[in-house]
Amino acid sequence: MQDIDFRYDLLPLKNKLFRLALRITLDSAEAEDVTSDTLIKVWNKREELKGVESIEAYCMTVCRNLALDRHEKKEAQNLSLEAYEIDATDNSFTPDEQLERDEKLRKVHELFNQLPERQRTIMQLRDIEEKSYREIATIMGVSEEVVKVTLFRARQAIRKQYDKIENYGL
Amino acid sequence: MDYKYIEQLLERYWVAETTEKEESILRAFFSQPDVPAHLLQYKGLFSYEQSQAEISLSDDFDEKILKKIGAAEPQIIVVRAKRQSFFRSLRPLYEAAAAIAIVAMVSYSASSYLNKQNSQSPWDYNPASYQDSYQSAQQSYKVVQDGLEMFQKTASADSTKQNNNLNSAHEE
């Protein structure tokens, strides 16, 4: 690979990174910080990364780790309740105003974000970013088999909740 | 209309058996306006996923991060003329001259060496045409005698040294 250019190689990844960070931290301000930290971290290490096969996958891995760090720190501070509140207000931030208006979408949003981190990250990468199992495995540092099994569990959980909502109007 | 195919895809979607292509077919199907009633409940999931793919950062993000890495907009490339002394500016000239001189020297010495080799006459084996190295017989005799004496001295010095070594070895 040639030299990494900030504007052409890293900056275009910002929204993908932001969405991943948002899915993990569930907080847009945190997610923005994580995105910016990721880009700066990768930029500062650019000399070592010339041999990296996919700079995008590398950035996603860094982004996930940074997001997890923040998320865990927050949980350690016993702020999970507050985080939940932020999550609720977060809907108003989401650029997609549809989410705010549409009750159904908001419910799916909650369903999605109630999944354990691994499951919702894999759902994010597969169903929203449309990544292959292989790419997801590279990003998360696990085997393709683990990705598949986790995705299976996530989709099963969503389906179960979904049917519950449909049947009982929960 | 038959929705068997979509239903099958959906079943396989839930158990994570669908390929990327099949999942994009599902997304396309659920994004169209007339989804049949019995599948309508799942529309929300796929439209949610599609709406989430469009989330993006605010416009001022680029500016902020570029400032952080020290590449603030607008990027102006300043080209400054480098000052250098007159002699320094002639440096390429010196280098060229030196290179030419080296090539000239090498080629001259090579050609003179080759000329010399060509001009040398073949070895003369005829004893009649041998020439003396020294003018007088006495002088040549002395040179030979000196040489032999020198040889004798070094030879005897070597042998005494060897004997001494042998003796000391015996003593030990």
Side-chain angles (χ1 to χ4, degrees), chain B residues 80-94:
Chain B
R80 196 174 288 159
K82 228 171 150 184
R83 279 184 175 279
Q84 52 183 8
S85 70
F86 174 69
F87 289 106
R88 231 188 124 74
S89 66
L90 288 180
R91 194 175 154 173
L93 226 71
Y94 304 152

